[in-house]
């Protein structure tokens, strides 16, 4: 499953949340996923998590459950690679407007930028960037374990990695696959951020704000750039130190590895509303939405900033996950956008690999409420 970067697991506590258009009930509705709660409770100052789902059929429903202190429904958190879905939506809007074509090469948009060690921007299209079939090396894999982006340190030396630096880092290595083969790489979306700026004359963050956040009233979502603090309210974020195995508080973090590949800060409600609106066709015309969800280029593994997952009951959900220092988040939705689930953990990685599939199965494979 795509991640921003593979990081070490840490213990956690789970909070479950489900969202619709009604107000939050005082007594949360329990789902089969709640059976996971006892397994995830740990002693001491442990991380926590949150789960949110929106069901619009037959009537909108909203549910919230917490299994441990520290997370509130409206908390802000780092959304990591979920940023990619927003970037892909902007690129496809620009394609629909004729401002660019997915068959354009990277070199046509960013002349001379991709050269060296077998990398050639004249052979890589925007479609390949969107679907992770460019073969470009993932620059985050070259960051040392002592880098603040990995350790969670913040301070004067923890400045954001610029897009140009990220690309130069990727170009120190040859392609990881032949063109046309799926290989998840954050470098692809850093380049797409540069393409958006070249085509529009505005930073990608400005275009995301103008085209998505403002129209959908996603007031809890920001692209913070160099800012290392989280807006109020927020819970703590934790990272398991690779050196001594201690659980570190990394709430204030220099977001060095993110950029257009994963810098976004958001809330459970905003992400749920975004994916519902995207899949319902509120952001893209039908042709562009079909292109977003077309997985043929990536051999069924990935669309454009979004990927499918087929569950045991036959339902296929669409969404993305995001992993960045101190945070893990996953959003999944039915194809029509009427049923959306978001959960997040304020640590880098789920300690129980069975948690995510169990939550998806419990939410999307259970019978609908009467």
């Amino acid at each position: 499953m795509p991640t921003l970067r593979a990081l070490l697991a840490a213990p956690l506590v789970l909070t479950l949340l489900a969202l619709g258009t009604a107000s939050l009930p005082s007594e949360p509705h329990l789902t089969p996923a709640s059976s996971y709660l006892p397994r995830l409770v740990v002693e001491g100052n442990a991380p926590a998590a949150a789960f949110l789902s929106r069901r619009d059929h037959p009537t909108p429903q909203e549910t919230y459950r917490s299994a441990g202190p520290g997370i509130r429904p409206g908390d802000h958190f780092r959304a990591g690679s979920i940023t990619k879905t927003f970037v892909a939506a902007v690129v496809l809007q620009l394609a629909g407007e004729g401002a660019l074509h997915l068959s354009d090469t990277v070199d046509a948009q960013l002349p001379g930028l991709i050269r060296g060690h077998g990398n050639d921007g004249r052979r890589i299209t925007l479609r390949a960037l969107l679907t992770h079939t460019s073969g470009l090396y993932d620059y985050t894999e070259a960051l040392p374990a002592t880098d603040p982006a990995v350790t969670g340190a913040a301070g004067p030396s923890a400045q954001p990695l610029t897009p140009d630096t990220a690309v130069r880092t990727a170009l120190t290595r040859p392609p990881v696959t032949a063109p046309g083969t799926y290989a998840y790489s954050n470098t692809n979306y850093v380049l797409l951020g540069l393409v958006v700026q070249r085509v529009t004359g505005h930073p990608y963050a400005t275009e995301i704000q103008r085209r998505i956040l403002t129209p959908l009233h996603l007031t809890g979502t920001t692209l913070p750039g160099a800012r290392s603090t989280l807006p109020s309210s927020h819970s703590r974020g934790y990272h398991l130190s690779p050196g001594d195995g201690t659980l570190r508080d990394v709430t204030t973090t220099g977001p060095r590895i993110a950029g257009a590949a994963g810098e976004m800060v958001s809330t459970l409600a905003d992400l749920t509303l975004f994916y519902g609106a995207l899949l319902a066709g509120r952001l893209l015309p039908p042709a562009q939405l079909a292109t977003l969800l077309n997985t043929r280029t990536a051999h069924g593994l990935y669309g454009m900033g979004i990927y499918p997952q087929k569950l045991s009951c036959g339902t296929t959900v669409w969404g993305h996950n995001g992993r960045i220092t101190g945070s893990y988040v996953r959003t999944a939705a039915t194809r029509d956008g009427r049923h959306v689930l978001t959960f997040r953990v304020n640590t880098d990685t789920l300690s129980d690999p069975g948690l995510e599939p169990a939550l998806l199965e419990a939410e999307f494979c259970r019978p609908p409420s009467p």
Side-chain angles (χ1 to χ4, degrees):
M1 191 167 293
T3 59
L4 183 62
R5 184 174 184 181
L7 295 174
L8 297 176
L12 53 91
V13 178
L14 179 68
T15 304
L16 298 182
L17 176 73
L19 177 74
T21 58
S23 60
L24 290 173
S26 57
E27 293 297 328
H29 174 71
L30 300 181
T31 74
S34 63
S35 63
Y36 265 76
L37 299 180
R39 298 171 54 184
L40 296 168
V41 175
V42 298
E43 298 294 331
N45 186 26
F51 174 160
L52 169 113
S53 82
R54 172 180 177 138
R55 296 172 67 97
D56 283 348
H57 183 76
T59 58
Q61 298 178 348
E62 194 173 87
T63 306
Y64 180 75
R65 177 173 174 82
S66 176
I71 286 187
R72 295 165 294 273
D75 279 352
H76 299 80
F77 53 86
R78 304 185 198 285
S81 285
I82 279 183
T83 308
K84 292 180 174 69
T85 316
F86 288 75
V87 172
V90 168
V91 172
L92 284 165
Q93 284 185 359
L94 292 169
E97 296 162 7
L100 55 78
H101 301 280
L102 301 187
S103 59
D104 292 344
T105 64
V106 175
D107 201 70
Q109 295 290 346
L110 304 169
L113 181 61
I114 304 300
R115 292 285 196 281
H117 289 90
N119 300 287
D120 188 346
R122 294 168 296 185
R123 300 172 55 203
I124 300 171
T125 65
L126 301 187
R127 184 182 301 275
L129 298 182
L130 286 160
T131 57
H132 294 294
T133 56
S134 70
L136 291 171
Y137 180 79
D138 186 342
Y139 72 94
T140 67
E141 296 297 330
L143 296 178
T146 55
D147 192 284
V150 178
T151 64
S157 63
Q159 298 302 312
L161 201 66
T162 67
D164 286 344
T165 303
V167 172
R168 285 198 299 271
T169 300
L171 295 180
T172 62
R173 310 291 177 90
V176 295
T177 64
T181 302
Y182 175 81
Y184 190 85
S185 173
N186 292 289
T187 305
N188 293 318
Y189 277 74
V190 169
L191 287 166
L192 288 168
L194 293 173
V195 169
V196 169
Q197 180 161 351
R198 182 175 180 86
V199 170
T200 66
H202 306 132
Y204 67 87
T206 300
E207 290 299 312
I208 289 175
Q209 180 70 52
R210 182 173 74 85
R211 293 170 175 269
I212 299 175
L213 305 186
T214 297
L216 294 182
H217 305 289
L218 304 183
T219 57
T221 302
T222 59
L223 293 113
R227 189 169 69 247
S228 62
T229 57
L230 288 169
S232 184
S233 65
H234 61 264
S235 59
R236 313 308 298 173
Y238 297 91
H239 173 70
L240 191 66
S241 173
D244 55 15
T246 59
L247 198 62
R248 300 184 54 191
D249 186 324
V250 292
T251 307
T252 300
T253 297
R256 292 192 53 171
I257 65 173
E263 73 161 287
M264 183 170 284
V265 169
S266 193
T267 65
L268 291 166
D270 274 13
L271 293 183
T272 302
L273 290 171
F274 165 69
Y275 279 94
L278 177 67
L279 290 164
R282 292 175 57 191
L283 294 173
L284 295 172
Q288 277 66 50
L289 181 57
T291 299
L292 180 92
L293 300 174
N294 189 329
T295 63
R296 286 198 300 269
T297 301
H299 319 294
L301 298 173
Y302 200 89
M304 296 185 177
I306 197 168
Y307 60 85
Q309 183 170 343
K310 189 172 183 178
L311 306 178
S312 64
C313 57
T315 297
T316 296
V317 293
W318 293 84
H320 212 288
N321 66 346
R323 190 189 314 266
I324 194 168
T325 306
S327 181
Y328 180 83
V329 60
R330 172 76 160 102
T331 299
T334 52
R335 170 61 184 82
D336 59 7
R338 299 184 69 177
H339 187 179
V340 188
L341 174 147
T342 301
F343 82 88
R344 66 104 171 182
V345 183
N346 61 345
T347 187
D348 311 319
T349 304
L350 299 174
S351 60
D352 180 358
L355 172 66
E356 182 172 319
L359 293 179
L360 296 180
E361 293 278 342
E363 181 64 25
F364 290 102
C365 291
R366 63 188 173 100
S369 301

